[in-house]
């Protein structure tokens, strides 16, 4: 039995929905955690040993759990947040928890690239910590942050393939249920092509945007 | 030494480069027994050991020392980028170590700072970089625009307003740094090795600009450097630092004329060499016994070369300048001449006596 084009459209929609919504929340969480990881470290503008040494291992633990395990392990938490543990929306909670810490690490790496001298200049001007973050650190690394989020989004697309485990649907699920389990080569090929196009255009979009901001 | 020192004092008061007579004792920055320790797990490093001195209004005050002398740490205690372990740093009458966070932020707007590596925002245009300190204090847009263009015209970069830092030369970047530091109209400018990353020609033009900042905006400048040339070009007062301590302090002319410590002597020599070059030594060896050699150190006009031509005229001996180095300190000639006098012994002795009575320090060296 072959898939209908309506099913493909539905799967694309589900994937975009999961990626889009998860990305928004994961970016908000990742950006905040990433900034915290940078500014609370030793010698930085809001040095705070307690916050840094709590946050750091938590992010490491979350980053170590394979997504398929995380997906199942946090089912009670997912039910608490969205009221259900099955379906596309339910897949978003683990996707956010999986991607947020990843973005946090990427953001951390980007922000650490900022020359300490720039921060010193900002402090000499009498900038507040909030001003240092939003007027110096983020603008100086915006290009690199956009590339980081592009990378994270691509990882997110990969992770949605496993969302089928909780009935999340999406292109990956289509590939597994129709292509793999029902031996439909055409479905496999079609889904792979769709995914390649998605990833490819996303990466190009990210590159163009980052280049604009870095104005080369 | 003769009457050297009195000449010095006279020169300083009449040649003061910035006309600070009226306010010369108004202190802008005071360091009182400032100590700074850096403690890490392995060891404690003493960066500052009881530094005490005062920077007066209108000064271009230079702190010189080798790297590791503590001058960079000292500079950073003024705007509390480094908090002293003990001691007081008084800026505009207030001890900065006692200020609240908000008060400190306000005080910082009165202290501009420029850096060796400029520290400009690479993703912002020249205009945006200069306007940054004003944006931080919520200045109205129109006001920012006027102020930024005024400053860019002052530093000579009006046409570069829309350029990005990576399109500028080192000298231009430092000009942007200076414009940015002046944006909030500070009364003090801190310069952290501001010319050390620049070539000699660019250094000279940046130093001229700093002189204008001092004169035209009446901004007191505190600069640190490891180049005696910078001190020579612009400073009126200098502190020599070594291993966290100020080992010599005074007017630039005094320190140049009469350095008390080995470190200071070496710094002075780096700008005004007084070693006899090897080539001259060979001539001396060849002429041993036939002539006498004198070193003449002179400060101010009416000494030095006119004296030598007088010696040649008044006495029956030939004056031969073997080596000379003349430079200007705050518009006053300053230098060393090594002169060979040839002639009969009594004539040379009389010439020597004559030279000793002039406004110069004369020493027989061979």
């Amino acid at each position: 039995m072959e898939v209908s084009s309506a099913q493909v459209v539905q799967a694309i929609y589900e994937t975009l929905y999961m990626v889009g919504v998860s990305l928004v929340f994961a970016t908000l969480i990742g950006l905040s955690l990433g900034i915290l990881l940078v500014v609370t470290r030793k010698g930085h503008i809001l040095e705070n040993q307690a916050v840094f040494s709590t946050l750091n291992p938590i992010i490491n633990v979350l980053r170590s759990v394979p997504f398929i395990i995380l997906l199942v392990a946090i089912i009670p938490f997912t039910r608490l947040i969205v009221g259900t543990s099955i379906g596309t929306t339910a897949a978003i909670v683990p996707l956010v928890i999986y991607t947020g810490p990843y973005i946090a690490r990427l953001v951390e790496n980007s922000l650490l690239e900022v020359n300490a001298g720039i921060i010193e200049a900002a402090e000499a001007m009498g900038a507040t910590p909030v001003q240092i973050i939003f007027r110096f650190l983020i603008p100086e690394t915006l290009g690199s942050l956009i590339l980081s989020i592009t990378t994270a989004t691509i990882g997110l697309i990969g992770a949605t393939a496993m969302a089928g485990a909780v009935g999340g649907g999406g292109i990956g699920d289509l590939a597994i249920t129709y292509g793999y389990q029902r031996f439909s080569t055409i479905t496999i090929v079609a889904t792979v092509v769709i995914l390649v196009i998605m990833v490819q255009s996303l990466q190009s979009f990210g590159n163009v945007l980052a280049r604009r901001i870095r104005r080369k | 030494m003769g009457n050297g020192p009195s000449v010095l004092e006279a020169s300083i008061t009449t040649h003061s480069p910035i006309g600070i007579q009226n306010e010369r004792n108004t202190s802008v920055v005071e360091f009182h027994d400032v100590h700074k320790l850096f403690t890490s797990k392995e060891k404690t490093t003493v960066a500052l050991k009881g530094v005490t001195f005062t920077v007066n209004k209108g000064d271009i005050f230079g702190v010189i020392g080798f790297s590791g002398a503590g001058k960079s740490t000292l500079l950073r205690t003024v705007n509390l980028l480094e908090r002293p372990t003990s001691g007081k740093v008084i800026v505009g009458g207030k001890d900065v170590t006692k200020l609240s966070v908000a008060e400190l932020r306000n005080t910082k707007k009165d202290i501009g700072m420029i850096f060796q590596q400029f520290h400009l925002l690479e993703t912002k245009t020249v205009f945006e970089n200069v306007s940054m300190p004003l944006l931080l204090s919520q200045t109205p847009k129109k006001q920012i625009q006027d102020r930024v263009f005024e400053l860019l015209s002052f530093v000579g970069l009006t046409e570069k307003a829309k350029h990005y830092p990576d399109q500028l030369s080192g000298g231009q970047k430092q000009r942007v740094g200076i414009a940015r530091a002046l944006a909030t109209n500070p009364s003090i400018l801190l310069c952290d090795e501001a010319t050390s990353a620049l070539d000699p020609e660019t250094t000279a033009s940046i130093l001229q600009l700093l002189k204008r900042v001092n004169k035209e905006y009446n901004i007191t400048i505190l600069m640190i450097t490891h180049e005696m040339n910078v001190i020579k070009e612009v400073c009126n007062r200098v502190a020599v630092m070594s291993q966290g301590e100020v080992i010599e302090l005074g007017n630039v002319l005094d320190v140049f004329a009469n350095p008390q410590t080995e470190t200071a002597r070496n710094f002075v020599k780096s700008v005004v060499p007084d070693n006899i070059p090897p080539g001259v030594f060979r001539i001396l060896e060849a002429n041993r016994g036939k002539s006498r050699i004198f070193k003449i150190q002179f400060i101010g006009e009416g000494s030095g070369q006119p004296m030598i031509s007088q010696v040649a005229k008044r006495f029956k001996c030939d004056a031969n300048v073997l080596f000379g180095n003349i430079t200007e300190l705050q518009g006053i000639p300053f230098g060393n001449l090594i002169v060979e006098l040839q002639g009969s012994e009594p004539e040379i002795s009389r010439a020597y006596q004559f030279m000793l009575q002039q406004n110069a320090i004369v020493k027989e060296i061979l």
Side-chain angles (χ1 to χ4, degrees), chain B residues 255-286:
Chain B
V255 173
F256 266 82
N258 205 1
Q260 300 296 313
T261 57
E262 192 54 36
T263 308
R265 265 193 291 277
N266 286 333
F267 276 126
V268 171
K269 275 182 198 168
S270 71
V271 182
V272 193
D274 68 344
N275 313 2
I276 302 169
V280 174
F281 251 122
R282 278 195 291 278
I283 300 171
L284 297 183
E285 284 301 318

mmCIF file of all heavy atoms in Angstrom, chain B residues 255-286:
data_model
loop_
_atom_site.group_PDB
_atom_site.id
_atom_site.type_symbol
_atom_site.label_atom_id
_atom_site.label_comp_id
_atom_site.label_asym_id
_atom_site.label_seq_id
_atom_site.Cartn_x
_atom_site.Cartn_y
_atom_site.Cartn_z
ATOM 1 N N VAL B 255 62.610 64.566 35.659
ATOM 2 C CA VAL B 255 62.948 63.149 35.574
ATOM 3 C C VAL B 255 63.911 62.900 34.418
ATOM 4 O O VAL B 255 64.853 62.123 34.537
ATOM 5 C CB VAL B 255 61.671 62.283 35.462
ATOM 6 C CG1 VAL B 255 62.019 60.833 35.198
ATOM 7 C CG2 VAL B 255 60.838 62.414 36.736
ATOM 8 N N PHE B 256 63.695 63.618 33.316
ATOM 9 C CA PHE B 256 64.603 63.447 32.182
ATOM 10 C C PHE B 256 65.997 63.981 32.506
ATOM 11 O O PHE B 256 67.009 63.392 32.140
ATOM 12 C CB PHE B 256 64.058 64.156 30.939
ATOM 13 C CG PHE B 256 63.257 63.257 30.047
ATOM 14 C CD1 PHE B 256 61.930 62.987 30.328
ATOM 15 C CD2 PHE B 256 63.835 62.657 28.942
ATOM 16 C CE1 PHE B 256 61.192 62.159 29.520
ATOM 17 C CE2 PHE B 256 63.106 61.820 28.118
ATOM 18 C CZ PHE B 256 61.777 61.563 28.412
ATOM 19 N N ALA B 257 66.044 65.128 33.195
ATOM 20 C CA ALA B 257 67.328 65.756 33.454
ATOM 21 C C ALA B 257 68.095 65.020 34.530
ATOM 22 O O ALA B 257 69.316 64.949 34.504
ATOM 23 C CB ALA B 257 67.118 67.202 33.870
ATOM 24 N N ASN B 258 67.347 64.466 35.473
ATOM 25 C CA ASN B 258 68.022 63.956 36.646
ATOM 26 C C ASN B 258 67.356 62.682 37.167
ATOM 27 O O ASN B 258 66.832 62.658 38.271
ATOM 28 C CB ASN B 258 67.965 65.059 37.713
ATOM 29 C CG ASN B 258 69.093 64.906 38.698
ATOM 30 O OD1 ASN B 258 69.915 63.998 38.576
ATOM 31 N ND2 ASN B 258 69.109 65.769 39.694
ATOM 32 N N PRO B 259 67.369 61.624 36.366
ATOM 33 C CA PRO B 259 66.714 60.398 36.817
ATOM 34 C C PRO B 259 67.443 59.808 38.020
ATOM 35 O O PRO B 259 68.663 59.802 38.047
ATOM 36 C CB PRO B 259 66.801 59.476 35.598
ATOM 37 C CG PRO B 259 67.899 60.024 34.751
ATOM 38 C CD PRO B 259 68.004 61.479 35.050
ATOM 39 N N GLN B 260 66.676 59.370 39.020
ATOM 40 C CA GLN B 260 67.272 58.916 40.274
ATOM 41 C C GLN B 260 67.509 57.410 40.315
ATOM 42 O O GLN B 260 68.326 56.929 41.065
ATOM 43 C CB GLN B 260 66.352 59.294 41.448
ATOM 44 C CG GLN B 260 66.105 60.788 41.575
ATOM 45 C CD GLN B 260 67.367 61.556 41.875
ATOM 46 O OE1 GLN B 260 68.134 61.179 42.754
ATOM 47 N NE2 GLN B 260 67.614 62.621 41.120
ATOM 48 N N THR B 261 66.738 56.673 39.537
ATOM 49 C CA THR B 261 66.831 55.218 39.621
ATOM 50 C C THR B 261 67.359 54.651 38.315
ATOM 51 O O THR B 261 67.273 55.297 37.273
ATOM 52 C CB THR B 261 65.451 54.598 39.891
ATOM 53 O OG1 THR B 261 64.576 55.016 38.842
ATOM 54 C CG2 THR B 261 64.887 55.048 41.229
ATOM 55 N N GLU B 262 67.872 53.437 38.399
ATOM 56 C CA GLU B 262 68.418 52.766 37.221
ATOM 57 C C GLU B 262 67.325 52.609 36.153
ATOM 58 O O GLU B 262 67.553 52.854 34.972
ATOM 59 C CB GLU B 262 68.965 51.390 37.640
ATOM 60 C CG GLU B 262 69.811 50.692 36.598
ATOM 61 C CD GLU B 262 70.980 51.539 36.089
ATOM 62 O OE1 GLU B 262 71.568 52.298 36.892
ATOM 63 O OE2 GLU B 262 71.280 51.458 34.883
ATOM 64 N N THR B 263 66.115 52.204 36.596
ATOM 65 C CA THR B 263 65.002 52.014 35.652
ATOM 66 C C THR B 263 64.721 53.318 34.920
ATOM 67 O O THR B 263 64.593 53.348 33.691
ATOM 68 C CB THR B 263 63.749 51.557 36.417
ATOM 69 O OG1 THR B 263 64.100 50.439 37.222
ATOM 70 C CG2 THR B 263 62.637 51.168 35.468
ATOM 71 N N ALA B 264 64.617 54.401 35.676
ATOM 72 C CA ALA B 264 64.316 55.700 35.056
ATOM 73 C C ALA B 264 65.436 56.111 34.108
ATOM 74 O O ALA B 264 65.180 56.611 33.007
ATOM 75 C CB ALA B 264 64.106 56.750 36.135
ATOM 76 N N ARG B 265 66.675 55.873 34.536
ATOM 77 C CA ARG B 265 67.811 56.222 33.673
ATOM 78 C C ARG B 265 67.725 55.472 32.346
ATOM 79 O O ARG B 265 67.946 56.036 31.287
ATOM 80 C CB ARG B 265 69.136 55.889 34.368
ATOM 81 C CG ARG B 265 69.748 57.093 35.089
ATOM 82 C CD ARG B 265 71.191 56.815 35.500
ATOM 83 N NE ARG B 265 71.286 55.808 36.550
ATOM 84 C CZ ARG B 265 71.124 56.072 37.847
ATOM 85 N NH1 ARG B 265 70.853 57.290 38.243
ATOM 86 N NH2 ARG B 265 71.204 55.105 38.740
ATOM 87 N N ASN B 266 67.366 54.194 32.434
ATOM 88 C CA ASN B 266 67.270 53.408 31.206
ATOM 89 C C ASN B 266 66.157 53.911 30.293
ATOM 90 O O ASN B 266 66.307 53.938 29.085
ATOM 91 C CB ASN B 266 67.058 51.925 31.526
ATOM 92 C CG ASN B 266 68.332 51.290 32.037
ATOM 93 O OD1 ASN B 266 69.428 51.739 31.715
ATOM 94 N ND2 ASN B 266 68.185 50.259 32.861
ATOM 95 N N PHE B 267 65.045 54.304 30.909
ATOM 96 C CA PHE B 267 63.962 54.852 30.087
ATOM 97 C C PHE B 267 64.397 56.152 29.414
ATOM 98 O O PHE B 267 64.118 56.381 28.247
ATOM 99 C CB PHE B 267 62.706 55.090 30.945
ATOM 100 C CG PHE B 267 61.867 53.860 31.111
ATOM 101 C CD1 PHE B 267 61.520 53.404 32.373
ATOM 102 C CD2 PHE B 267 61.403 53.161 30.004
ATOM 103 C CE1 PHE B 267 60.740 52.267 32.533
ATOM 104 C CE2 PHE B 267 60.620 52.026 30.158
ATOM 105 C CZ PHE B 267 60.297 51.580 31.420
ATOM 106 N N VAL B 268 65.094 56.994 30.164
ATOM 107 C CA VAL B 268 65.550 58.262 29.591
ATOM 108 C C VAL B 268 66.522 57.985 28.446
ATOM 109 O O VAL B 268 66.426 58.572 27.377
ATOM 110 C CB VAL B 268 66.215 59.147 30.672
ATOM 111 C CG1 VAL B 268 66.885 60.359 30.030
ATOM 112 C CG2 VAL B 268 65.176 59.601 31.688
ATOM 113 N N LYS B 269 67.430 57.034 28.668
ATOM 114 C CA LYS B 269 68.400 56.691 27.631
ATOM 115 C C LYS B 269 67.734 56.190 26.360
ATOM 116 O O LYS B 269 68.272 56.354 25.274
ATOM 117 C CB LYS B 269 69.366 55.618 28.142
ATOM 118 C CG LYS B 269 70.530 56.196 28.919
ATOM 119 C CD LYS B 269 71.457 55.078 29.349
ATOM 120 C CE LYS B 269 72.380 55.521 30.464
ATOM 121 N NZ LYS B 269 73.067 54.374 31.055
ATOM 122 N N SER B 270 66.562 55.549 26.518
ATOM 123 C CA SER B 270 65.887 55.023 25.332
ATOM 124 C C SER B 270 65.454 56.145 24.402
ATOM 125 O O SER B 270 65.249 55.944 23.222
ATOM 126 C CB SER B 270 64.692 54.153 25.738
ATOM 127 O OG SER B 270 63.659 54.951 26.261
ATOM 128 N N VAL B 271 65.290 57.352 24.935
ATOM 129 C CA VAL B 271 64.879 58.481 24.108
ATOM 130 C C VAL B 271 66.040 59.440 23.857
ATOM 131 O O VAL B 271 66.191 59.988 22.773
ATOM 132 C CB VAL B 271 63.723 59.249 24.784
ATOM 133 C CG1 VAL B 271 63.263 60.384 23.901
ATOM 134 C CG2 VAL B 271 62.571 58.315 25.075
ATOM 135 N N VAL B 272 66.848 59.665 24.883
ATOM 136 C CA VAL B 272 67.980 60.593 24.765
ATOM 137 C C VAL B 272 69.248 59.812 25.090
ATOM 138 O O VAL B 272 69.716 59.818 26.215
ATOM 139 C CB VAL B 272 67.839 61.760 25.772
ATOM 140 C CG1 VAL B 272 68.821 62.861 25.443
ATOM 141 C CG2 VAL B 272 66.424 62.295 25.781
ATOM 142 N N PRO B 273 69.806 59.095 24.109
ATOM 143 C CA PRO B 273 70.964 58.266 24.404
ATOM 144 C C PRO B 273 72.142 59.143 24.835
ATOM 145 O O PRO B 273 72.325 60.243 24.317
ATOM 146 C CB PRO B 273 71.284 57.589 23.067
ATOM 147 C CG PRO B 273 70.200 57.938 22.134
ATOM 148 C CD PRO B 273 69.438 59.075 22.696
ATOM 149 N N ASP B 274 72.911 58.699 25.818
ATOM 150 C CA ASP B 274 74.110 59.445 26.190
ATOM 151 C C ASP B 274 75.339 58.540 26.217
ATOM 152 O O ASP B 274 76.389 58.920 26.690
ATOM 153 C CB ASP B 274 73.932 60.149 27.542
ATOM 154 C CG ASP B 274 73.841 59.161 28.688
ATOM 155 O OD1 ASP B 274 73.619 57.970 28.422
ATOM 156 O OD2 ASP B 274 73.998 59.574 29.847
ATOM 157 N N ASN B 275 75.167 57.343 25.690
ATOM 158 C CA ASN B 275 76.338 56.470 25.614
ATOM 159 C C ASN B 275 77.217 56.941 24.472
ATOM 160 O O ASN B 275 76.722 57.377 23.442
ATOM 161 C CB ASN B 275 75.959 55.017 25.288
ATOM 162 C CG ASN B 275 74.836 54.518 26.127
ATOM 163 O OD1 ASN B 275 74.292 55.255 26.949
ATOM 164 N ND2 ASN B 275 74.462 53.278 25.914
ATOM 165 N N ILE B 276 78.490 56.840 24.676
ATOM 166 C CA ILE B 276 79.398 57.213 23.595
ATOM 167 C C ILE B 276 79.424 56.065 22.595
ATOM 168 O O ILE B 276 79.695 54.922 22.964
ATOM 169 C CB ILE B 276 80.803 57.481 24.153
ATOM 170 C CG1 ILE B 276 80.700 58.580 25.205
ATOM 171 C CG2 ILE B 276 81.780 57.856 23.053
ATOM 172 C CD1 ILE B 276 81.936 58.776 26.014
ATOM 173 N N PRO B 277 79.130 56.349 21.338
ATOM 174 C CA PRO B 277 79.093 55.265 20.350
ATOM 175 C C PRO B 277 80.489 54.664 20.154
ATOM 176 O O PRO B 277 81.488 55.371 20.328
ATOM 177 C CB PRO B 277 78.630 55.957 19.068
ATOM 178 C CG PRO B 277 78.150 57.302 19.476
ATOM 179 C CD PRO B 277 78.808 57.652 20.766
ATOM 180 N N PRO B 278 80.575 53.403 19.804
ATOM 181 C CA PRO B 278 81.863 52.720 19.664
ATOM 182 C C PRO B 278 82.805 53.427 18.687
ATOM 183 O O PRO B 278 84.027 53.495 18.939
ATOM 184 C CB PRO B 278 81.506 51.334 19.127
ATOM 185 C CG PRO B 278 80.041 51.182 19.282
ATOM 186 C CD PRO B 278 79.442 52.510 19.536
ATOM 187 N N GLY B 279 82.251 53.975 17.614
ATOM 188 C CA GLY B 279 83.076 54.668 16.619
ATOM 189 C C GLY B 279 83.808 55.845 17.245
ATOM 190 O O GLY B 279 84.993 56.091 16.984
ATOM 191 N N VAL B 280 83.075 56.564 18.108
ATOM 192 C CA VAL B 280 83.666 57.721 18.779
ATOM 193 C C VAL B 280 84.783 57.248 19.712
ATOM 194 O O VAL B 280 85.843 57.858 19.806
ATOM 195 C CB VAL B 280 82.584 58.500 19.548
ATOM 196 C CG1 VAL B 280 83.209 59.625 20.369
ATOM 197 C CG2 VAL B 280 81.556 59.058 18.571
ATOM 198 N N PHE B 281 84.545 56.142 20.369
ATOM 199 C CA PHE B 281 85.554 55.589 21.275
ATOM 200 C C PHE B 281 86.867 55.321 20.556
ATOM 201 O O PHE B 281 87.950 55.590 21.072
ATOM 202 C CB PHE B 281 85.044 54.283 21.914
ATOM 203 C CG PHE B 281 84.738 54.457 23.368
ATOM 204 C CD1 PHE B 281 83.474 54.188 23.861
ATOM 205 C CD2 PHE B 281 85.726 54.893 24.249
ATOM 206 C CE1 PHE B 281 83.190 54.359 25.200
ATOM 207 C CE2 PHE B 281 85.447 55.060 25.580
ATOM 208 C CZ PHE B 281 84.171 54.796 26.061
ATOM 209 N N ARG B 282 86.762 54.789 19.337
ATOM 210 C CA ARG B 282 87.984 54.477 18.571
ATOM 211 C C ARG B 282 88.781 55.755 18.307
ATOM 212 O O ARG B 282 89.994 55.783 18.450
ATOM 213 C CB ARG B 282 87.627 53.777 17.262
ATOM 214 C CG ARG B 282 87.388 52.275 17.454
ATOM 215 C CD ARG B 282 87.410 51.535 16.126
ATOM 216 N NE ARG B 282 86.258 51.860 15.289
ATOM 217 C CZ ARG B 282 85.061 51.274 15.439
ATOM 218 N NH1 ARG B 282 84.879 50.348 16.352
ATOM 219 N NH2 ARG B 282 84.064 51.613 14.670
ATOM 220 N N ILE B 283 88.055 56.852 17.964
ATOM 221 C CA ILE B 283 88.744 58.132 17.726
ATOM 222 C C ILE B 283 89.428 58.588 19.013
ATOM 223 O O ILE B 283 90.565 59.036 19.017
ATOM 224 C CB ILE B 283 87.733 59.210 17.269
ATOM 225 C CG1 ILE B 283 87.058 58.755 15.976
ATOM 226 C CG2 ILE B 283 88.418 60.567 17.085
ATOM 227 C CD1 ILE B 283 85.901 59.621 15.554
ATOM 228 N N LEU B 284 88.700 58.407 20.129
ATOM 229 C CA LEU B 284 89.237 58.836 21.413
ATOM 230 C C LEU B 284 90.520 58.100 21.730
ATOM 231 O O LEU B 284 91.512 58.697 22.157
ATOM 232 C CB LEU B 284 88.222 58.583 22.527
ATOM 233 C CG LEU B 284 86.915 59.355 22.429
ATOM 234 C CD1 LEU B 284 86.046 59.052 23.635
ATOM 235 C CD2 LEU B 284 87.173 60.846 22.330
ATOM 236 N N GLU B 285 90.497 56.803 21.495
ATOM 237 C CA GLU B 285 91.681 56.002 21.762
ATOM 238 C C GLU B 285 92.863 56.507 20.936
ATOM 239 O O GLU B 285 93.982 56.659 21.439
ATOM 240 C CB GLU B 285 91.407 54.526 21.432
ATOM 241 C CG GLU B 285 90.560 53.808 22.480
ATOM 242 C CD GLU B 285 91.184 53.822 23.855
ATOM 243 O OE1 GLU B 285 92.419 53.612 23.953
ATOM 244 O OE2 GLU B 285 90.455 54.067 24.839
ATOM 245 N N ALA B 286 92.615 56.796 19.665
ATOM 246 C CA ALA B 286 93.666 57.230 18.761
ATOM 247 C C ALA B 286 94.254 58.576 19.186
ATOM 248 O O ALA B 286 95.455 58.811 19.060
ATOM 249 C CB ALA B 286 93.121 57.318 17.334
#
